[in-house]
Amino acid sequence: MDMRICVINIYVSDLDFAIEWYREVLNLNISDENNNYPIAVDLETDNDLRLLLHKAEKDTQVDVWRESSTILTFEVPNIREKIKDLTEKGVKLMNEEPQWHPDGGERIAFKDPFGNVHELAELRSRAAPKDRI
């Protein structure tokens, strides 16, 4: 394939609050590269995919699961530990428990303060054998 995803734009109505929320809740720091504050800022990732917080005029009102949307999924080694961490930081989950997915893992969705839907995913195929269901 001659195409690859290189940037994911996350639109937020309050860039300063978004920087704080993504840093404190999801532990993502602002990158020194491609910093176009106050219009947009890059978040650091552990790969070459750019996450770009971009200033928008209003929050999203998408009715997820009923309307077309894009969901950003964060892979984590232990979904239950990360759920505990996020709920302690006030994040509201969209399900009470992680849901099993056909790709061999569990996922749980949550919204950022601007209505953007994200997921946590623990992929069983990548877990240690003792952790597999």
Side-chain angles (χ1 to χ4, degrees):
M1 178 176 349
D2 60 352
M3 294 190 323
R4 70 178 183 88
I5 297 171
C6 61
V7 177
I8 298 173
N9 292 286
I10 304 169
Y11 288 86
V12 298
S13 59
D14 183 335
L15 189 58
D16 290 323
F17 182 64
I19 291 168
E20 179 182 327
W21 191 85
Y22 278 84
R23 179 182 295 139
E24 292 180 11
V25 176
L26 298 184
N27 300 319
L28 297 171
N29 291 312
I30 300 304
S31 171
D32 292 331
E33 297 180 33
N34 304 309
N35 188 333
N36 293 311
Y37 183 86
I39 297 166
V41 296
D42 274 14
L43 299 173
E44 292 179 345
T45 65
D46 59 359
N47 55 42
D48 61 354
L49 178 66
R50 289 176 56 201
L51 293 179
L52 183 65
L53 292 178
H54 218 294
K55 179 75 171 103
E57 292 195 22
K58 64 178 187 169
D59 295 340
T60 185
Q61 300 299 320
V62 171
D63 184 2
V64 72
W65 319 135
R66 295 174 192 242
E67 297 179 36
S68 297
S69 65
T70 301
I71 297 176
L72 184 59
T73 302
F74 295 92
E75 184 179 353
V76 295
N78 185 319
I79 197 167
R80 283 171 174 63
E81 280 183 15
K82 193 61 177 177
I83 288 169
K84 183 177 184 283
D85 177 53
L86 292 182
T87 56
E88 287 174 354
K89 292 177 179 176
V91 173
K92 302 287 188 237
L93 303 172
M94 296 179 70
N95 308 88
E96 291 191 27
E97 290 291 324
Q99 305 297 305
W100 181 255
H101 278 259
D103 64 2
E106 291 182 293
R107 296 176 187 233
I108 194 160
F110 62 96
K111 289 185 180 182
D112 74 3
F114 312 97
N116 296 304
V117 177
H118 303 314
E119 286 183 321
L120 299 177
E122 180 179 342
L123 304 177
R124 299 293 184 195
S125 60
R126 295 187 186 179
K130 65 180 175 54
D131 294 336
R132 290 190 181 151
I133 292 178

